[in-house]
Amino acid sequence: MSANVLFDAPGPKARARNIVYTVVGVLALLGIAAWAGIRLYDKGQFEGELWDIFNYAGIRENILDALLSTLKVFALAGVLSLVFAVILCVARLSDHKPVRWVAVVFIDLFRSIPLLITIFALWVGIIGDMTPMWALVLGLTIYNGCVQAEVLRAGVNAVPRGQVEAAYAIGLRKTQVTATILFPQAVRSMLPTIISQLVVTLKDTSLGFMILYPELLYSARLIANNTPVGGTYPIVQTVIVFGLIYIALCLLLAALANWIERRGRRSKVGIVPAKAKELKETVPSEP
């Protein structure tokens, strides 16, 4: 009898079918990749001189400026979305029903609206004149703040109820319980999800090119469409370079998350055992 209760183990015929499906799928993917490679080769996208555009000082300066613009928006949106998430989470968990329902409606509304629509609406002046940078920052803050608020709420609800009751029993107020017991444990338990959403925030900065904000994707589009070499536009080269930049940024953020998580695990220590020398000094010797 199989110990796996999630699904039945496949029989010989099912295993044979799975092998066939896998082989057919791999061959289909290889065929699509080969077809795309041949098309790109015929259009001259693999010519070595197309890489020469990245030797120009102006191109490198443009990429650096776009990178800094992306990081500036990400830093502002990341910090503001986390602050906004805490406010929304507190309102979502409020004992006052009107406050709680306002938070629920706000979170559900902006999680349902596509982020690009929110950014575009802010840019065209739905709440007044706004620069592309702040329209992008505010749009990312609203959407990701709503998502992060639900993440924090899940972490708060995961804290054992006995800890909250014990805190109230020793005379702590709700604000103190939330600030010293609930939120620290919620952040620690939900840290991987919080960092994952920050990675999404970083990638969503690319929506800025729709409102003419000069971030990485906007710069990539300018380079690919306006710097032909011998009549050929360096599309493949631009995609590779900017794709690697995005991958590097996401990997750095993931590495930071792992480092924070390791430090959090090391900080969860109980009573430190006394050293042998200290024990010897405190225990009286036999006469």
Side-chain angles (χ1 to χ4, degrees):
M1 181 177 178
S2 175
N4 196 329
V5 298
L6 297 179
F7 62 93
D8 294 332
K13 292 184 178 180
R15 287 196 295 269
R17 284 198 303 269
N18 291 339
I19 293 174
V20 171
Y21 294 155
T22 302
V23 172
V24 171
V26 170
L27 291 176
L29 291 176
L30 291 176
I32 295 173
W35 174 79
I38 292 172
R39 291 292 303 273
L40 292 172
Y41 179 80
D42 292 339
K43 293 182 178 181
Q45 288 294 322
F46 296 142
E47 298 295 333
E49 58 267 17
L50 293 178
W51 291 96
D52 293 340
I53 63 169
F54 297 105
N55 293 326
Y56 300 149
I59 295 294
R60 293 199 298 267
E61 184 178 353
N62 186 281
I63 295 174
L64 180 59
D65 291 340
L67 176 61
L68 293 177
S69 297
T70 297
L71 293 177
K72 179 169 65 175
V73 167
F74 167 67
L76 289 171
V79 173
L80 292 177
S81 65
L82 291 176
V83 174
F84 191 44
V86 172
I87 296 173
L88 286 176
C89 182
V90 171
R92 182 74 170 79
L93 298 171
S94 174
D95 294 332
H96 304 285
K97 186 175 292 186
V99 175
R100 186 168 65 250
W101 277 107
V102 168
V104 170
V105 171
F106 187 91
I107 291 172
D108 290 342
L109 175 64
F110 282 99
R111 287 177 65 195
S112 303
I113 297 176
L115 176 57
L116 183 57
I117 294 178
T118 302
I119 294 172
F120 190 77
L122 292 170
W123 181 53
V124 298
I126 192 173
I127 58 174
D129 294 335
M130 189 170 294
T131 62
M133 187 196 79
W134 283 109
L136 181 59
V137 169
L138 188 57
L140 291 172
T141 298
I142 293 174
Y143 174 76
N144 290 283
C146 293
V147 176
Q148 298 279 31
E150 290 297 278
V151 171
L152 289 176
R153 185 172 70 89
V156 168
N157 290 335
V159 177
R161 186 64 186 173
Q163 296 188 21
V164 179
E165 294 174 352
Y168 284 133
I170 63 175
L172 294 182
R173 296 187 299 272
K174 184 176 181 180
T175 303
Q176 295 173 311
V177 173
T178 302
T180 61
I181 296 177
L182 294 178
F183 269 104
Q185 295 189 69
V187 171
R188 175 175 290 174
S189 64
M190 303 304 292
L191 184 61
T193 307
I194 293 173
I195 298 297
S196 297
Q197 190 61 36
L198 287 176
V199 172
V200 173
T201 305
L202 173 61
K203 293 187 292 186
D204 283 345
T205 58
S206 60
L207 296 175
F209 91 99
M210 294 295 296
I211 58 173
L212 306 180
Y213 179 69
E215 43 74 50
L216 281 171
L217 186 58
Y218 184 84
S219 176
R221 183 180 179 183
L222 288 179
I223 293 173
N225 294 338
N226 296 287
T227 55
V229 178
T232 303
Y233 293 92
I235 297 175
V236 173
Q237 291 73 17
T238 304
V239 169
I240 292 174
V241 169
F242 283 86
L244 290 176
I245 292 174
Y246 275 112
I247 291 173
L249 292 176
C250 292
L251 289 178
L252 287 174
L253 194 56
L256 175 62
N258 292 332
W259 178 75
I260 295 175
E261 190 175 2
R262 286 196 300 269
R263 285 185 60 87
R265 285 199 301 265
R266 287 199 300 265
S267 66
K268 292 188 290 184
V269 295
I271 300 174
V272 180
K275 297 180 181 179
K277 183 177 179 181
E278 296 174 352
L279 289 174
K280 186 176 180 180
E281 293 175 351
T282 54
V283 176
S285 58
E286 296 182 359

